[in-house]
Amino acid sequence: MSERVVAITGATGKLGRVVAAHFAGTGARLALLARSEEEVAALAAELPGGADRHAGFVVDLGDAASTRSAATAIRERLGPASVLLQLVGGYAGGTPFADGDDEEFRHLLDLNLWSTIHAVRAFLPDIVAAEHGRIVTVSTYVAAAPTPKHAAYAASKAAVEALTISVARDLAGTRATSNVVVLRSIGDEKPTEQRPEEVAEVMAFLCSPEAGTINGQRIPLIGRA
């Protein structure tokens, strides 16, 4: 992993910070993407190696042009990213489908699916060209086994999974891979939660040269219950 450029979206989030610290500890150079310039700059400075090795980039993943610009800025500042960890996403639920409206679907499709579409498109050329290019996205067990009152959330995450695996099929014959990590919830207090450090370790393995034959897979990390 040493000296590889790893792009992490949602870097200042709960999972993003732990994943960033783990990958920085492996020697990777990190391109940290988030909406807040102040927060992402502070994160870069506090990681092992500091701002001399890592850099923050402000991006709106809901906008294709903003995402492409961020990928270009990363290439110019750190070099081409060989790894994309797409950690941006969001949750909403609690309303039966019959009582919901289109806005919830639009919001979650933008937040979960379109952010992934824009990120993968922007970084894919560099990932394919890399010696060991890697894409890792994040989904939920609800995508495959929808629970009541989560139609929009389940649909948006199911779309993320389908996109990730479809990209993996396109990568057949290359040295790049595309996989999705399936979570229940993040934390360390309940048996159903997955510790963020453990998620980071799994992502690090998926991005390693040794994981080159793992492609187009749903990797379930759904706690201990």
Side-chain angles (χ1 to χ4, degrees):
M1 183 65 66
S2 179
E3 294 302 318
R4 297 176 75 185
V5 176
V6 176
I8 304 177
T9 69
T12 57
K14 180 178 180 180
L15 179 60
R17 290 178 177 274
V18 175
V19 170
H22 186 92
F23 274 79
T26 70
R29 304 182 69 192
L30 305 185
L32 306 164
L33 293 93
R35 286 180 174 271
S36 170
E37 181 176 5
E38 181 178 351
E39 289 185 13
V40 80
L43 177 59
E46 70 186 34
L47 290 171
D52 290 337
R53 288 190 57 80
H54 317 298
F57 300 86
V58 177
V59 64
D60 175 7
L61 291 180
D63 182 80
S66 174
T67 311
R68 289 194 301 269
S69 295
T72 299
I74 291 168
R75 195 177 301 117
E76 294 173 348
R77 174 82 177 271
L78 300 175
S82 61
V83 173
L84 170 64
L85 305 178
Q86 166 61 358
L87 308 187
V88 166
Y91 164 82
T95 303
F97 175 77
D99 298 331
D101 57 29
D102 291 351
E103 184 55 34
E104 184 178 32
F105 276 84
R106 291 193 184 97
H107 170 67
L108 288 176
L109 286 170
D110 284 344
L111 189 58
N112 294 324
L113 177 60
W114 278 105
S115 68
T116 304
I117 291 172
H118 293 154
V120 172
R121 277 181 173 164
F123 289 97
L124 191 58
D126 289 337
I127 289 170
V128 172
E131 184 177 2
H132 302 291
R134 300 286 187 263
I135 297 168
V136 180
T137 65
V138 176
S139 184
T140 168
Y141 77 105
V142 175
T147 50
K149 303 179 182 180
H150 290 102
Y153 179 57
S156 67
K157 283 297 192 178
V160 170
E161 292 189 13
L163 171 66
T164 305
I165 295 171
S166 179
V167 170
R169 301 296 177 256
D170 290 345
L171 293 175
T174 75
R175 292 171 293 184
T177 66
S178 177
N179 294 288
V180 55
V181 172
V182 180
L183 307 177
R184 184 184 296 271
S185 60
I186 296 292
D188 56 11
E189 297 179 356
K190 301 177 181 179
T192 55
E193 294 179 327
Q194 192 69 37
R195 295 184 182 93
E197 293 82 5
E198 293 172 331
V199 178
E201 289 175 0
V202 171
M203 289 184 171
F205 174 71
L206 289 174
C207 294
S208 69
E210 292 77 13
T213 58
I214 303 174
N215 187 35
Q217 301 301 310
R218 298 172 72 255
I219 311 298
L221 301 175
I222 55 175
R224 297 164 181 79

